Amino acid sequence: MRVRLTKDFTFEAAHLLPKAPEGHKCRRLHGHSFRVEVTVEGEVDPETGWLLDYGLIRDRVEPVRAQLDHYYLNEVPGLSNATSENLARWIWEKLKPALPSLTAVTIHETCEARCQYEGR
């Protein structure tokens, strides 16, 4: 049986978008309560009845989350242009070695806007 598991985590952070058009509101410093979905996919182990322990996903995500929570994202190496798109890719690159079954990272920047990255 093939399944997808998704574990959410949150962090608070500030950023600005230096490449947004002049006068665009996102060029100014502002913050978000980000919600991130980390999705893994694979075959369920018939012995255990699960693909992965959700706790393992949490443990792999926590060091990455700690690098972002209550930071100015533009100062995090690799996030000088901290768009949702770049943030999703940045998180993917940090998590993929520790979570080989990773299939998607979804960034919820607001309640109404999100970006999904699937490592392509």
Side-chain angles (χ1 to χ4, degrees):
M1 168 175 50
R2 190 160 189 85
V3 298
R4 284 184 147 212
L5 303 178
T6 300
K7 179 85 172 141
D8 292 1
F9 70 98
T10 61
F11 66 93
E12 309 290 330
H15 72 152
L16 58 81
L17 302 183
K19 297 184 180 188
E22 197 65 46
H24 191 283
K25 66 181 181 176
C26 292
R27 257 186 102 122
R28 295 188 304 270
L29 182 63
H30 63 284
H32 295 284
S33 296
F34 288 92
R35 184 167 65 90
V36 179
E37 298 176 14
V38 173
T39 303
V40 295
E41 182 176 1
E43 294 294 323
V44 172
D45 181 323
E47 184 67 28
T48 63
W50 63 21
L51 167 62
L52 274 190
D53 182 345
Y54 283 108
L56 177 72
I57 299 170
R58 179 199 61 230
D59 293 347
R60 298 298 192 267
V61 166
E62 182 52 30
V64 175
R65 191 194 76 77
Q67 291 178 62
L68 303 171
D69 190 40
H70 284 82
Y71 282 94
Y72 174 43
L73 297 181
N74 299 75
E75 292 180 346
V76 173
L79 289 175
S80 61
N81 185 26
T83 62
S84 290
E85 295 86 346
N86 288 334
L87 181 57
R89 183 186 63 212
W90 185 91
I91 291 171
W92 173 282
E93 290 171 354
K94 300 289 183 191
L95 288 180
K96 186 64 174 175
L99 281 174
S101 58
L102 182 66
T103 58
V105 171
T106 304
I107 307 294
H108 294 258
E109 188 172 295
T110 69
C111 296
E112 300 171 337
R114 67 182 174 272
C115 170
Q116 183 173 17
Y117 180 70
E118 297 178 348
R120 295 186 186 130

